[in-house]
Each structure stands twice: as structure tokens, then as C-alpha cells.
Amino acid sequence: MFSKILIANRGEIACRIIRTARRMGVATVAVYSDADAGSMHVAMADEAVRIGPPPVAESYLDGERIVAAALMTGAEAIHPGYGFLSENPDFVDRVVNAGLIFIGPSATSIRAMGLKDAAKRLMEKAGVPVVPGYHGEAQDIVLLASKATEIGFPVLIKARAGGGGRGMRRVDHADDFAEALSSARREAKAAFGDDRVLVEKYVEKPRHIEVQVFGDNYGNVVHLFERDCSAQRRHQKVIEEAPAPGMTDEMRAAMTEAAVTAAKAISYSGAGTIEFIVDASQGLRPDRFWFMEMNTRLQVEHPVTEMITGVDLVEWQLRVAYGEALPKRQDEIELDGHAFEARLYAEDAAKGFLPATGTLHHLWFPDEPAPGTSLRVETGVREGDTISPFYDPMIAKLVVHGPDRETALDALGDMLAETEIAGSTVNTAFLAALAADPDFAAGDVDTGLIGRKQDALTAIPEPSEGFVTAAALAVSGLSETASPDDPWSALAGYAHFHAAPKRVALRYGEQEIRAAVSVVNGKTEIALIPAPLSPPHKGMGDSEAPRLSEKETHESKRSASSLWGGVRGGGNPPPRLARWPGHITIFDGPVSYMFSVPDPLERAEEAGGGADSLRAPMPGLVKVVRAAVGDTVAKGQPLLVLEAMKMEHTIAAPHDGVVAEIATEGSQVTDGATLVRFAEAGE
């Protein structure tokens, strides 16, 4: 076995590979950009080498630097993980030419499957069914549009290189084809350096079912059953499961046979995935599935396959790359139970799954499974780490296994409900809503499920009065939730002659909340006051704050114990919460409510007004500008396209107005930077 390998990746997959390598007695070398100098994968590895600044083109995509790092540290092989250089045949050639071993398929196999159009032509020759469409070389817009008309709308425009939903657009009408093609090409060029596309028939009730295959250097190829990845948003997987719900023996035999045939057609060695699109309008039928593409690498969702087969796929990768035969024959691989994986991202599901950044001030995952189930957390971050705008915003993959689908799904719901993250907007509540959706729970899922129910799945209920009160109490310092580092918290609210209420201010979204907290006869009482809180004068302390009127106090006064069953023992426990700089996060199962503690001076500045503007939701590159100064725009009208975290995000007008200023095309903007300023009255 190898004595030392270099991992040409970052985040959770780098950590995942390190764990298996360590168990096998293989030393590891991590590589890192400046943004990842203090990251988890760097800390876990035996050695680490800096390879450049944060942009991926200058670090994780710099094959020359990565190979040099391997040679410098004495590594014998390079594991690419997934993404970055994992499916780059030129990188494989560079590794091999340097006298190193690439832990993955040959450059020839990657080239054969790397371009979707060529791969589909190859699969047709091998007898594997493919989706009807245009897979040719010509890229003239008139030709592509005519082919789309021949195929029949709706059609799917797909980048011929790469994956992950990038460079992919559904087109329902001929009038929309040109705009969708332009957008797909831009995104494909930015993500893969190749803007060529193919056009395929869009399947109306599609399911995405893929088969895990594994080959060695001796002509052996096996499958490790299927995964269902139909729960997708924006063509990116959200919750994956194995096996596929509703799978029949006949359908499984046909799909796995086609997958093994596809792998053998290119003499495949290593871990790979054959992805099929399935027409589920009449259930799962052997004549209703078609080859989409092959991913010549380890998949993000590989843990669900490991959970149902008991196989460590990374260990198999190392053994096969070292020259060993496959550890098991096909008849030795058994399917046991059911597994789910949920992808936990820093993103705002309610705002179109907009990626988020931030520091993970509080991070906790459950580690005790329910009886008869098992769980694992795949992550590359720790509490205190920052979600960078330079890379994919994944926080963790939550994986569960149970004896059957219902039990496993219940375990996933429990795991999501117990997970706590504060410091960034996350999609935990959305994942829990999807897992609890009646159609998903019944296994009636297709790639359009999330789109059809997006509003319901991403809706967050308003925080209850009890949660608002809990946040106010935590800010006041008059409870056990006060910071243990505050030596004066024990005296907070004390008055010798009268009960002086402590005034606190909170903000939830755009709503400002004020409350008064006091201790009367040993009992904590809270008055929530609906009226707006005017900014206090500079230097005003709690003792100088205006007193609550008797009417205000009696209208909303509540005993803390009456709201959640007692703060200091007795009844139900208080809500779970996390305090972090300037904020309180309250957890209600998978839902989290973030309250901020406004700075009085900031409130005063905001009250002073300012131009009506539209700000950048994250750092990024202004890719396209669709309006000019002086234009009259309508609410919802696209104004510009922001490229961030490897995806394009359309920024639309929040209301009707006239553009007074707008960012320039090609400009790099920071989080919160003004993108558009609207003219004020009379301007």
C-alpha cells in the first residue's frame, strides 16, 4: 500500500479521504489556499503545503503547483476528491508524467466520458439507451434553435463539460431559447472553460437515478446498486437516498447491467457513477430510462452507498490505484437497509437558495442515533470557521441508515431537528420540510418536486412570543442564558427601592422589538412593547432610560416561566439558543430564528436616511448589466447578473423606480456593496 498520498482538494471530501487513509496507515499531505490556511483538512493531515491565493484558478486548479507539492513532500500518489481537477484528463497526464499515480481512472477514460455529447455517441454504440437530443459538434445558435424545435419543447440546454447543474437551462418556449442559451454558455465558460452545449428533450416527470460502478486494472467491473438523487433544486442535488424508492428487481437488473456495460466500454478503473434520467410518469419501467452522463470520480453522495453495502469506497480507490484487484465480486456485494444524505449548505432557501457567508459561531451535530439506526456527519468545518465566498458553501452532509426507508427518514428528520448552527443563514429548515413532505415521504419524487412546492418548503413561520421573549431575556442578562463571562449579570435588574426594568432592543429581520425585563420578588418578568424604539441619546445607560408607562407594562407583561415552563427548573426546558457577537439565535427543531442586537449609533444613522439602493447579497463579479442610468424599471425586472460561488444569480428590481446609478459590467463587488441606486423624488 502507498506510504503517503497528497489530496488535491479541500473541505469535507479532503477530511473524508484523510480518515480512511489514516485507518489504512497511509500518511497524507494537504494542500491549501490562503483562505484555507487554518482549515480543518489542513489540521487533520500529516503535512500541508500552500499552493496559492484564494481564487481556485490560482490554487486548487493549478495542477503544476499541486504536482510540485506532491514531489516535494515525497507523496507517491494524488487523490483528487471530487470537483476541481478530479475529471481533468490533462491533470491526470501531468501526474503520470511526473512519475506519480493518479487515484482514479485513466486520462483516456475521463476523455471518453468528459464531454456529454461524445459520451452519448459512445454509449449509443455500446447499446446503452440515451436521451433523444442533439449531441453534435456544431454550435451555431440558428442550428441549435432549429434542433430544439425538432426535438420539441420543453428542451434542456446542457453544458457538454462539467456537472453540478452549471450551464444547464430548461427552455419551455422557442422565444426564450436565445436568452437561455446565452446564459448557459456564460455559466459553462466560467465554470469549465468550455461554453459548448448540447440540447435534449426535457422529460416531464424525470427521476435522477444513478448506479455506482467500480472497476480495476484487470477488467473487472461491479456495481454497488443505485442511488436516487431526484430531490434537486436548480439542478443540484439536495437529499439523496439508496436504494431508489419503488425500484423493482426487473428495473434494477436492467439499469445495473447498462451501467456495467457503459463502464466496460471504456475499460474503466476506479470509482465512477453512471447517471440515468428516468421517465417516472408510469412508474419505474425498464424501457423508460436513458443514459445522461458518467461522473468519472467519487460522488458527493457516495456515503449512502457505503451505508447500504458496508463498503469503504475510498479504501477501494486506494487499493485499486495501488494495483490490487477489486476486494469483492458482484455476488459478494449485498444491499442492506436504506440510507439518506442531506446536504447542509450556508444558503438562504427563502431567497431562491442564495449562497450565504459568515462565521460559524455555534456548530453542533447530534451523535446518538435512535435504536436500530446509525448516523454520520461528513464535514470540513469546525465551530469558529468562516464560510468563504470563494468556494462551495457546503457545511456538512448528514447521513443516516435504517432497516427500511420509513425508519431511515424518521432518523433524518430527528438529526435535522437536533442540528444547531449559528452565524450564517443555513438550509436546515428547508431540508427538514422536504424530508417531511408527504410526496417525498411516500417516495413519489421527481426532479421538479422542489420547484413545484418551493414556497411551502422554504416558508419559515414567524417566531412565537415565547421565542422573542427568550431572546430578550438572553440579551438582558437576567437569566441563566446570560454570558458566564459577565461578572455583573448577577446584579442585573437589582434596585434597592423599586424594580427598575432593564430596557433591551432586538431586531428580527426588518422588525424592531423592544422589551423591559425586571426581577420582582425573585421572579423574572418581561414586557414586550410593540411600539418602535427611538434611538437613545449617546451615553445613555439603562438607569437613564425612560421608564415604561404603567399602561405599557401591564399590556404586555409576562412571567418568563409562563412562556416556556420555567427558566430555572420545573416544566419544559427553555428554548435552545446560542449567543454570538451582536446576535441571539433561537432553535425550534430545525428552524432557527436569528435576532440581532442593534447598535444605537447604527440605528441613528439609519434613521437619518439615505438613498434607496439595492445591495450585493454576497461578494461576486458583475457579469451582465441589463439596465442603464435613467431607465424606468418595474418590480421584478432583471437588472444585472452577479456571479458568485460558481453560480450566476439574477438581481431584480425590488420595486418600480428609475435607475440613478448602477454597477459596471465586470466589476468585483463586496458583500453589501451598492449595486443599484434608485432616483429619489425630484432627482
Side-chain angles (χ1 to χ4, degrees):
M1 181 46 59
F2 302 115
S3 60
K4 183 187 292 188
I5 65 171
L6 180 142
I7 302 166
N9 218 296
R10 64 177 300 279
E12 61 89 14
I13 185 57
C15 297
R16 161 75 185 88
I17 296 166
I18 291 170
R19 283 193 292 271
T20 289
R22 180 179 295 160
R23 179 176 58 78
M24 297 176 67
V26 178
T28 55
V29 180
V31 293
Y32 64 91
S33 71
D34 292 338
D36 282 338
S39 66
M40 183 175 175
H41 79 280
V42 172
M44 287 181 64
D46 297 296
E47 300 175 61
V49 179
R50 177 189 178 273
I51 53 171
V56 293
E58 302 174 51
S59 52
Y60 295 106
L61 290 180
D62 192 327
E64 184 176 353
R65 290 188 184 184
I66 290 171
V67 169
L71 294 173
M72 178 183 70
T73 56
E76 303 156 82
I78 294 179
H79 195 308
Y82 50 70
F84 295 139
L85 295 169
S86 62
E87 294 180 284
N88 186 317
D90 295 335
F91 177 65
V92 178
D93 286 337
R94 184 187 294 273
V95 171
V96 173
N97 291 337
L100 302 170
I101 294 175
F102 181 77
I103 302 175
S106 67
T108 301
S109 294
I110 294 176
R111 286 191 174 96
M113 289 297 193
L115 299 178
K116 297 182 180 71
D117 50 358
K120 289 183 178 180
R121 292 194 294 268
L122 179 62
M123 290 299 99
E124 283 182 303
K125 291 180 181 178
V128 178
V130 300
V131 182
Y134 172 71
H135 309 131
E137 291 286 343
Q139 294 289 299
D140 180 80
I141 184 173
V142 176
L143 173 66
L144 294 176
S146 66
K147 291 295 183 181
T149 301
E150 289 177 18
I151 296 166
F153 291 94
V155 298
L156 196 63
I157 300 172
K158 299 173 67 175
R160 74 170 194 162
R166 298 178 183 90
M168 186 180 295
R169 298 290 185 275
R170 171 179 169 165
V171 188
D172 293 304
H173 305 287
D175 293 343
D176 302 326
F177 187 83
E179 175 63 24
L181 176 63
S182 177
S183 177
R185 280 177 164 167
R186 281 196 312 271
E187 194 168 86
K189 184 70 173 179
F192 317 119
D194 185 346
D195 66 357
R196 286 170 287 185
V197 301
L198 50 84
V199 182
E200 294 180 343
K201 177 65 180 174
Y202 184 85
V203 180
E204 289 293 349
K205 190 175 182 181
R207 279 180 64 177
H208 179 134
I209 301 178
E210 59 191 32
V211 176
Q212 176 74 59
V213 294
F214 219 109
D216 61 21
N217 297 313
Y218 306 99
N220 302 307
V221 177
V222 298
H223 71 81
L224 291 95
F225 304 102
E226 80 282 352
R227 298 183 287 256
D228 194 305
C229 307
S230 302
Q232 302 179 6
R233 52 101 176 122
R234 297 178 65 176
H235 304 294
Q236 290 191 314
K237 301 165 187 175
V238 175
I239 296 180
E240 302 99 342
E241 60 181 300
M247 180 60 69
T248 64
D249 291 341
E250 184 183 16
M251 180 73 163
R252 176 174 291 136
M255 291 190 76
T256 54
E257 180 182 357
V260 170
T261 298
K264 286 184 174 180
I266 58 171
S267 302
Y268 194 78
S269 175
T273 299
I274 310 296
E275 298 192 345
F276 295 103
I277 190 76
V278 180
D279 181 355
S281 59
Q282 299 180 35
L284 297 183
R285 292 173 39 178
D287 62 342
R288 293 296 182 91
F289 73 90
W290 302 280
F291 171 87
M292 282 199 303
E293 62 184 346
M294 181 178 190
N295 288 315
T296 52
R297 54 170 168 79
L298 199 65
Q299 291 280 88
V300 176
E301 59 273 19
H302 76 273
V304 293
T305 294
E306 295 183 325
M307 296 292 259
I308 65 165
T309 61
V311 169
D312 184 330
L313 292 175
V314 174
E315 178 182 342
W316 278 32
Q317 285 186 298
L318 296 181
R319 293 194 180 283
V320 166
Y322 190 66
E324 297 180 16
L326 288 176
K328 289 187 177 183
R329 300 188 308 269
Q330 187 65 68
D331 59 3
E332 296 176 310
I333 304 171
E334 298 181 354
L335 191 160
D336 175 35
H338 205 99
F340 285 94
E341 173 185 285
R343 300 190 187 190
L344 189 55
Y345 279 100
E347 65 181 12
D348 193 334
K351 294 182 179 179
F353 304 102
L354 198 66
T357 56
T359 299
L360 302 175
H361 292 284
H362 177 76
L363 184 67
W364 188 84
F365 300 111
D367 54 8
E368 293 188 13
T373 68
S374 58
L375 56 83
R376 66 193 253 195
V377 177
E378 298 285 346
T379 186
V381 296
R382 302 151 300 184
E383 188 168 285
D385 285 351
T386 298
I387 302 299
S388 166
F390 295 103
Y391 313 117
D392 186 276
M394 179 183 284
I395 294 175
K397 300 183 306 192
L398 308 184
V399 189
V400 298
H401 178 267
D404 52 64
R405 189 175 189 271
E406 183 179 3
T407 303
L409 191 56
D410 286 344
L412 179 63
D414 292 343
M415 195 175 188
L416 289 165
E418 295 170 19
T419 295
E420 298 178 4
I421 301 174
S424 178
T425 303
V426 292
N427 67 340
T428 317
F430 160 69
L431 293 172
L434 176 59
D437 176 78
D439 289 336
F440 185 86
D444 184 14
V445 60
D446 60 79
T447 59
L449 174 67
I450 291 175
R452 293 192 300 272
K453 300 186 176 187
Q454 186 166 322
D455 289 345
L457 293 173
T458 58
I460 299 294
E462 288 295 307
S464 68
E465 183 177 319
F467 293 145
V468 174
T469 304
L473 188 63
V475 171
S476 73
L478 295 177
S479 76
E480 292 178 349
T481 59
S483 171
D485 299 324
D486 180 5
W488 302 103
S489 60
L491 298 177
Y494 171 78
H496 186 66
F497 296 108
H498 56 79
K502 180 169 184 176
R503 301 289 296 267
V504 297
L506 294 171
R507 182 176 292 151
Y508 178 73
E510 298 300 317
Q511 180 184 1
E512 193 165 284
I513 304 161
R514 64 173 178 167
V517 186
S518 56
V519 179
V520 179
N521 297 324
K523 180 186 291 187
T524 303
E525 293 187 344
I526 303 174
L528 297 179
I529 307 163
L533 180 66
S534 58
H537 297 295
K538 184 177 180 180
M540 179 184 290
D542 288 329
S543 62
E544 299 170 286
R547 288 289 189 93
L548 293 175
S549 69
E550 186 175 348
K551 179 181 180 182
E552 284 179 320
T553 302
H554 284 290
E555 276 183 350
S556 56
K557 184 179 293 183
R558 297 287 189 276
S559 165
S561 60
S562 71
L563 289 164
W564 61 80
V567 177
R568 294 179 172 84
N572 297 320
R576 298 175 293 149
L577 62 82
R579 291 189 63 144
W580 47 289
H583 298 81
I584 299 287
T585 297
I586 304 285
F587 301 102
D588 180 24
V591 180
S592 60
Y593 297 104
M594 184 181 74
F595 297 87
S596 61
V597 184
D599 184 306
L601 297 181
E602 288 181 3
R603 291 203 308 272
E605 287 179 7
E606 291 173 5
D612 189 7
S613 60
L614 184 60
R615 299 181 181 274
M618 71 194 84
L621 174 70
V622 178
K623 199 74 174 177
V624 179
V625 175
R626 302 191 183 281
V629 174
D631 285 357
T632 299
V633 298
K635 180 180 179 179
Q637 179 178 333
L639 300 182
L640 48 83
V641 176
L642 186 68
E643 181 185 275
M645 292 184 175
K646 301 185 288 185
M647 296 287 286
E648 285 192 354
H649 308 275
T650 299
I651 307 298
H655 51 68
D656 297 348
V658 176
V659 177
E661 295 178 17
I662 192 165
T664 57
E665 202 164 285
S667 59
Q668 191 77 38
V669 297
T670 58
D671 185 13
T674 300
L675 296 175
V676 183
R677 186 176 68 83
F678 297 97
E680 297 178 336
E683 183 176 355

